[in-house]
Amino acid sequence: METKTLSKAAPIIELPKPLEQLSEGEVERKACIGRLMTYTLNNLTSQFVEKDFQWLLPVALSQSTDPLWPDPGASIEKRIEVDIYGKTVRTTASMIIHKLIASSLAYPKLFILSPNIRIEKAERAKTGKHIYEFTQLDFEARNASTKGVMTLVEEVICNLLTSMKQDMKEELSLLCRCDTLELPKRPFKVYDRQELEVDYGADWEEGIAQETSDPVWVTNIPREFYDFEDFTTGKWDNYDLFMPQYGEVLSGAKREWEYEKILKKIERDNVDKYNYALVLKLAKEEKLKPTAGGGIGMERLVGWISGVEHVAETQPFPRAGNSAR
Ligand code: ASN
């Protein structure tokens, strides 16, 4: 089968201006996006609390942060490490390991608004999708299934959009999103990454985002050791959520919990075992439980809702390029 050609090459997107350089009209637009962010945070956190998820506070420095490796989508240029009281800790790339431990030991259903630092190669800022500091609504549930997580996410996103379209008409119309932001039909379609590669080649993420007019799930993406991999079929039980004309806003998975598999994958990936000693110990003692979850990128979700060119437009102090304030 022939690979489809994408309609246009990915455009290079200007970095957003800092607050103090915005014109009056641009400030109004910024404030409008800010109100949609407030609405989204309030709505999603309330929905998770109502569903009996416990709201945990984030950690900023830890021994076991996300290795972000091997993930074909990652391009980490620099990792920030610092010595505290004789121990090397790192800035949080994601709280995935903490989620697995917390959900297994004490908080079966949890979520965190977790600030993540990922210093990716500078040119990635020009995609309009990458920022070096962002916040995930990261959630995890003990004994949850992939289907269960997909249903939960579809429900919370559709609830958010339904009430936002009623309550935030002024903001959505100022951003010209009143008519274009449609309520998706449930359940969302599910694609296997392998079938998308046949259709679009290596650029399947861009391909599916351009072509779909509804949010879609993509499963079976090879990546870090903590996502569940079926060793007999070679398939990964994980999932990303892609928004139409935009791209990925959530990634998640059913997780590994068995010691032998985790160890094998850590060794296979050349990941430093020492940093994951606690999760290995818990798995060995059979205290690590099967969980599933995901993380919604808040800037990306609100970026898609607002129709921004660059995701950093959703941030009061854009975290892209070298204009840090
Ligand atoms: N939050 C993601 C998850 O739950 C992990 C990540 O951000 N790398 O799978």
Side-chain angles (χ1 to χ4, degrees):
M1 191 197 256
E2 242 178 67
T3 304
K4 291 182 198 171
T5 322
L6 300 182
S7 56
K8 48 182 185 287
I12 292 185
I13 295 167
E14 293 288 312
L15 298 183
K17 285 192 247 170
L19 270 188
E20 74 279 8
Q21 290 172 18
L22 299 180
S23 67
E24 233 174 82
E26 288 167 340
V27 167
E28 196 188 343
R29 183 181 150 84
K30 189 89 178 174
C32 199
I33 298 170
R35 289 197 291 278
L36 293 183
M37 177 64 87
T38 302
Y39 190 93
T40 303
L41 289 168
N42 190 29
N43 179 286
L44 292 185
T45 53
S46 304
Q47 288 197 65
F48 274 90
V49 170
E50 270 164 30
K51 290 177 187 303
D52 280 334
F53 280 74
Q54 289 192 61
W55 190 345
L56 309 193
L57 293 175
V59 298
L61 295 167
S62 60
Q63 182 181 8
S64 307
T65 197
D66 196 327
L68 294 177
W69 176 264
D71 177 350
S75 76
I76 299 301
E77 182 169 280
K78 191 182 282 181
R79 294 174 195 266
I80 304 171
E81 294 189 345
V82 57
D83 185 274
I84 306 183
Y85 311 127
K87 181 166 196 165
T88 304
V89 291
R90 291 158 197 90
T91 48
T92 298
S94 94
M95 282 183 61
I96 181 67
I97 305 298
H98 301 81
K99 289 200 303 177
L100 304 193
I101 294 172
S103 175
S104 296
L105 298 187
Y107 311 90
K109 289 165 75 179
L110 64 89
F111 73 97
I112 315 144
L113 282 171
S114 166
N116 292 182
I117 298 190
R118 298 185 187 174
I119 312 202
E120 305 211 34
K121 295 207 183 350
E123 60 266 24
R124 280 209 132 187
K126 296 180 195 138
T127 63
K129 297 290 172 350
H130 294 91
I131 40 187
Y132 59 80
E133 272 183 63
F134 66 95
T135 298
Q136 292 196 50
L137 194 162
D138 225 353
F139 62 93
E140 200 71 20
R142 200 186 291 173
N143 294 322
S145 64
T146 289
K147 185 83 197 99
V149 172
M150 285 180 173
T151 306
L152 167 80
V153 169
E154 291 173 12
E155 185 186 328
V156 295
I157 287 186
C158 289
N159 285 344
L160 165 69
L161 294 175
T162 305
S163 46
M164 185 182 268
K165 279 168 81 67
Q166 278 164 16
D167 300 342
M168 305 300 278
K169 283 201 179 84
E170 208 177 299
E171 286 76 7
L172 291 172
S173 106
L174 194 139
L175 296 163
C176 305
R177 288 294 275 153
C178 255
D179 300 329
T180 52
L181 188 66
E182 283 173 20
L183 193 63
K185 285 178 265 328
R186 283 190 273 166
F188 301 169
K189 261 200 188 147
V190 183
Y191 292 93
D192 186 299
R193 182 256 327 159
Q194 278 174 320
E195 70 184 273
L196 295 180
E197 276 176 349
V198 172
D199 281 352
Y200 303 104
D203 223 0
W204 59 266
E205 296 201 15
E206 190 60 30
I208 188 65
Q210 273 187 25
E211 204 138 295
T212 183
S213 49
D214 286 301
V216 294
W217 293 104
V218 180
T219 60
N220 185 26
I221 308 164
R223 52 188 176 210
E224 292 87 351
F225 71 83
Y226 47 76
D227 282 6
F228 190 90
E229 182 183 357
D230 185 330
F231 278 177
T232 51
T233 61
K235 292 226 181 241
W236 292 72
D237 194 352
N238 56 15
Y239 36 83
D240 279 2
L241 180 64
F242 285 78
M243 294 315 202
Q245 308 309 308
Y246 191 77
E248 187 234 301
V249 296
L250 169 150
S251 75
K254 181 180 153 182
R255 315 297 180 185
E256 301 286 5
W257 73 95
E258 289 165 316
Y259 174 72
E260 294 299 337
K261 278 187 84 184
I262 297 179
L263 182 65
K264 198 169 180 165
K265 291 172 83 181
I266 285 183
E267 286 175 346
R268 179 182 76 185
D269 297 349
N270 260 326
V271 165
D272 188 351
K273 247 187 283 187
Y274 173 76
N275 292 339
Y276 302 96
L278 177 57
V279 86
L280 281 166
K281 176 177 177 292
L282 292 171
K284 196 168 194 174
E285 293 167 354
E286 297 184 2
K287 289 184 183 148
L288 202 65
K289 303 282 186 258
T291 65
I296 307 173
M298 295 312 302
E299 291 87 348
R300 284 194 180 175
L301 179 64
V302 173
W304 170 69
I305 290 172
S306 311
V308 297
E309 284 260 289
H310 199 296
V311 63
E313 281 180 64
T314 65
Q315 298 179 300
F317 300 97
R319 311 279 88 187
N322 63 1
S323 62
R325 294 293 188 270

